[in-house]
Amino acid sequence: MDSPKTAALPPVPFIDLSAQHHPIAEELLEAVARVLDGGQFVLGEEVAALEADIAAFCDSRYAVSCGSGTDALVLSLMALGVGSGDEVITSPFTFFATAGAIHRVGATPVFVDIEPDGFNICPEATAEAISEKTRAIIPVHLFGQTANMEPLWRLAVLHDIPLVEDACQAIGASYQGRQAGVLGTMGCFSFFPTKNLGGAGDGGIITLDDKQLAQRLTHLRVHGDTGGYHHVAVGFNSRLDALQAAILRVKLTRLQEWTEQRIESAAHYDQLILARGLGDWISRPHAQDSCRHVYNQYTIRVPAFERDDILGSLRAEGIGCAVYYPKPLHLQPCFESLGYSIGSLPRAEAAAAEVISLPVAPGLDAASRERVIERLAAACEGQAGWSTRRAA
Ligand SMILES: Cc1ncc(COP(=O)(O)O)c(C=O)c1O
């Protein structure tokens, strides 16, 4: 039998949704039963109630739900009339859906580099990319940290260009006291299960203050139908299920608590990385001043040439970790015709080569965090040249 010292330590999963759901299982099952009894499965009261809850949470006048975060982006661009011949500026360092949505409405994504000291779109680079064809800017609040909005607001006003926030990873984040989702013309959220507020399937929502746009969105998500099979536009089918809405309403009551746990885990990781003397080699995520970072991911950067070895050794030790995202969007084969090449957007390319996301989901206890950083330190120290660099 193993002695306590030699016994294998339990793995630290990247995310464990069943552990998150277990303590609220009864409430979730009651919500599901309520929908089954009611017999209204698509849109309806439950969905309207979730929309009201999210609007209240995000301080927006309206919230229009839909089938996914991807659809939220597509619907927003459609509602703004963005289409063929138009350009939309966005970040290349994001999940594919951001740029996919631009392409889907017939417009061209214009990728600009990220900031030197963060993962979000660079406002100066955005200013340089504005052309006569620019019809929208999509800042992405990557990993739960809002983009640097103030200079983007100035650009939006100066050029009369709407800002569509890709807030899919950032529900509950804030910038200068304002919630993600009301930092632009529209805010797009995803309820994919691993998001900070995730359903038991796909789902999405758009938050906004403009009544006309909100009405347009409610039509577009049902094939442009204003009621009675009267179609004022060609939309598509993107409706939220009542079951998802009922589940999300239960989970929304825990969102603040879960977010605080994420923030606490991030602060603990910061402290442990510094305490182990890794601070010079590992770059930690930093929350911008007067912003609330909600850590959908806790993403560090390590030297590019060591990243895959470090990742492999963490995984071999049972530490769940991930690379978001290994290839920036301007280098994706499907966007080859846009003419970007390696070196076009060097900061995004460097980030893609250096990032590792560590477990940060709610429920991660202090012992697990210590184990993650202890294993990270061992993985770094196992790299050739680590000790010489450290001594230098
Ligand atoms: C930044 C970002 N944008 C858009 C999406 C698309 O959301 P969904 O998966 O709900 O379509 C995601 C989801 O992963 C995302 O992380």
Side-chain angles (χ1 to χ4, degrees), residues 67-71 73 94-95 97-98 140 142 166 168-169 189-192 195 202-204 325:
S68 67
T70 306
D71 285 359
L73 289 161
T94 172
F95 178 58
T98 318
V140 183
L142 202 70
D166 182 337
C168 285
Q169 301 184 2
F189 294 93
S190 164
F191 296 133
F192 185 75
K195 296 294 190 268
D202 277 316
Y325 297 91

Side-chain angles (χ1 to χ4, degrees), residues 170-257:
I171 193 158
S174 68
Y175 179 89
Q176 296 179 359
R178 287 167 66 179
Q179 290 289 109
V182 290
L183 302 174
T185 308
M186 288 183 255
C188 300
F189 294 93
S190 164
F191 296 133
F192 185 75
T194 57
K195 296 294 190 268
N196 289 23
L197 178 63
D202 277 316
I205 205 160
I206 302 146
T207 49
L208 72 169
D209 287 337
D210 185 303
K211 188 174 182 182
Q212 263 189 332
L213 281 175
Q215 258 168 1
R216 213 171 294 160
L217 288 167
T218 57
H219 301 153
L220 287 168
R221 72 177 172 181
V222 289
H223 295 292
D225 188 0
T226 55
Y229 302 99
H230 181 68
H231 298 263
V232 291
V234 179
F236 60 107
N237 173 9
S238 184
R239 303 168 301 203
L240 189 68
D241 291 345
L243 279 170
Q244 294 308 334
I247 287 169
L248 288 161
R249 288 180 69 205
V250 172
K251 293 184 74 175
L252 183 58
T253 65
R254 307 303 201 280
L255 183 59
Q256 289 295 12
E257 177 192 326

